[in-house]
């Protein structure tokens, strides 16, 4: 007897997010060399922000266990990137209500699960831009952020009484004998009982704090002699409070804070320390849901380099034209003192970036 089986069709989903921004960026006291970019610029930019296309789904293999999968790719719809698709979270795994969910492939690191107090969008969604060479020139610099890890395994434990736990392992499959093999691992725990507050902690080793930095300022990464490869420990803690749940105010107001620290393992490094404080308030008397937010970021010793400091403040707003169509507007400023990795007492650049813009986000 033949038994017909039905396969669940994958879900097609994605996001298109485009902005137009006026950017004024200036850098004083830059060391001159032939490879440096223009230190001052005033221009109008069109940007694509984490626009993506993906397929995801699940297939039951027993009464309680499903195979789960996701293939997701970033698309630079403004055409700036020569690669049409860039891999985001792509994995195959298993999901069981008693044992949780296991994902194997390319996974976002544990810091990505602690994003509640971070409201900045579009141009100012710039966590992780810590060196001038990230963009090849003048840029708004900011603290460490989460990464995506190849060759990684992720376990999302079943939720228990509002407590969420995520564990991650990332295998270092480098075949270069000159580099020490550094497998990474991390953990995140979050408490959210739905009572108006959340608290979360995350720690990782050789995942978030992992990469390379060029000791030759404004020189392209093709010059391997200037590169320092590093790993290290990183910690992030977050809290959010829905103030209207505890104080008699008519308007929903969410306050949040992030503190994080990264300890890099290259010689002469200093601990990077980051702080974010934010607030988001719903606006009344609009035809559709609207909100305004204010976020301040402070970072000391960017990328582990002493006296590399950054301050950023952004005022922005969102307006939901539909549940899946969101208009954005914002204005922000970033100031940073950038110093040489070889000599932290030698100031390379005094950077000032101002950006005003707006965008449209479409979810499907």
């Amino acid at each position: 007897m033949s038994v017909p089986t039905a396969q669940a069709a994958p879900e097609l989903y994605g996001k298109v997010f485009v902005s137009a921004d006026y950017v004024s960026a200036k850098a004083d006291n830059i060391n001159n060399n032939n490879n440096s970019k223009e230190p001052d610029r005033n221009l109008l930019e069109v940007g694509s922000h984490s626009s993506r296309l993906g397929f995801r789904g699940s297939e039951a293999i027993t009464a309680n266990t499903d195979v789960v999968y996701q293939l997701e790719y970033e698309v630079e719809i403004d055409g700036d990137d020569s690669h049409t698709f860039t891999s985001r979270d792509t994995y195959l795994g298993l999901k069981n209500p008693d044992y949780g969910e296991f994902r194997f492939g390319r996974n976002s690191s544990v810091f990505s699960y602690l994003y509640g107090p971070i409201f900045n969008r579009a141009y100012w969604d710039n966590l992780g831009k810590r060196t001038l060479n990230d963009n090849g020139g003048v840029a708004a610099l900011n603290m460490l952020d989460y990464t995506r890890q190849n060759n990684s395994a992720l376990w999302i434990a079943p939720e228990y009484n509002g407590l969420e736990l995520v564990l991650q392992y990332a295998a270092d499959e480098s075949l270069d004998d000159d580099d020490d093999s550094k497998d990474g691992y991390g953990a995140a725990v979050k408490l959210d009982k739905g009572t108006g507050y959340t608290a979360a902690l995350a720690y990782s080793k050789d995942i978030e704090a992992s990469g390379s930095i060029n000791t030759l300022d404004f020189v392209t990464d093709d010059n391997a002699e200037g590169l320092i490869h590093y790993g290290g420990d990183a910690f992030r803690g977050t809290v959010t409070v829905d103030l209207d749940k505890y104080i008699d105010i008519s308007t929903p107001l969410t306050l949040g804070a992030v503190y994080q620290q990264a300890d890099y393992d290259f010689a002469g490094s200093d601990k990077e320390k980051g702080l974010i404080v934010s607030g988001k308030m719903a606006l009344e008397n609009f035809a559709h849901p609207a909100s305004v937010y204010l976020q301040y970021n402070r970072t000391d010793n960017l990328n582990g380099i002493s006296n590399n400091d950054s301050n950023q403040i952004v005022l922005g707003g969102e307006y939901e034209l539909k549940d899946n169509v969101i208009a954005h507007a914002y204005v922000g400023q970033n100031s940073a003192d950038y110093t040489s990795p070889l000599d932290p007492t030698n100031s390379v650049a005094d950077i000032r970036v101002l950006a005003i813009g707006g965008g449209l986000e479409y979810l499907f």
Side-chain angles (χ1 to χ4, degrees), residues 47-206:
S48 174
H49 304 284
S50 299
S51 299
R52 68 197 66 165
L53 179 66
F55 301 88
R56 62 191 172 198
S58 63
E59 189 82 29
I61 55 175
T62 72
N64 294 318
T65 303
D66 294 348
V67 169
V68 293
Y69 61 89
Q70 178 172 292
L71 302 173
E72 183 176 296
Y73 301 92
E74 182 170 352
V75 183
E76 294 288 345
I77 60 174
D78 59 348
D80 282 347
D81 196 329
S82 59
H83 299 91
T84 304
F85 296 102
T86 303
S87 177
R88 288 171 58 89
D89 285 28
T90 56
Y91 59 81
L92 181 68
L94 298 169
K95 186 175 183 179
N96 181 284
D98 297 321
Y99 300 106
E101 183 173 348
F102 297 85
R103 299 176 180 177
F104 304 92
R106 177 173 168 84
N107 293 289
S108 290
S109 55
V110 292
F111 275 31
S112 68
Y113 292 86
L114 279 67
Y115 241 67
I118 302 171
F119 300 130
N120 284 354
R121 296 293 181 265
Y123 183 90
W124 291 110
D125 184 14
N126 65 330
L127 292 189
K129 294 198 169 66
R130 296 167 292 153
T131 66
L132 294 177
N133 281 325
D134 280 351
N135 288 330
V138 178
L141 304 181
N142 216 318
M143 66 186 71
L144 181 80
D145 198 17
Y146 77 92
T147 64
R148 288 186 173 86
Q149 292 296 305
N150 299 330
N151 313 309
S152 65
L154 193 75
W155 176 51
I156 304 174
E159 182 180 331
Y160 176 74
N161 198 24
L163 196 65
E164 303 170 22
L165 173 66
V166 180
L167 301 179
Q168 184 174 34
Y169 170 78
D172 182 3
E173 299 184 359
S174 173
L175 299 179
D176 190 346
D177 293 335
D178 295 332
D179 293 335
D180 294 332
S181 178
K182 292 184 177 180
D183 293 346
Y185 53 86
V189 60
K190 181 179 179 181
L191 179 64
D192 183 1
K193 292 189 173 184
T195 57
Y197 74 91
T198 68
L201 296 173
Y203 167 81
S204 69
K205 172 71 173 177
D206 295 333

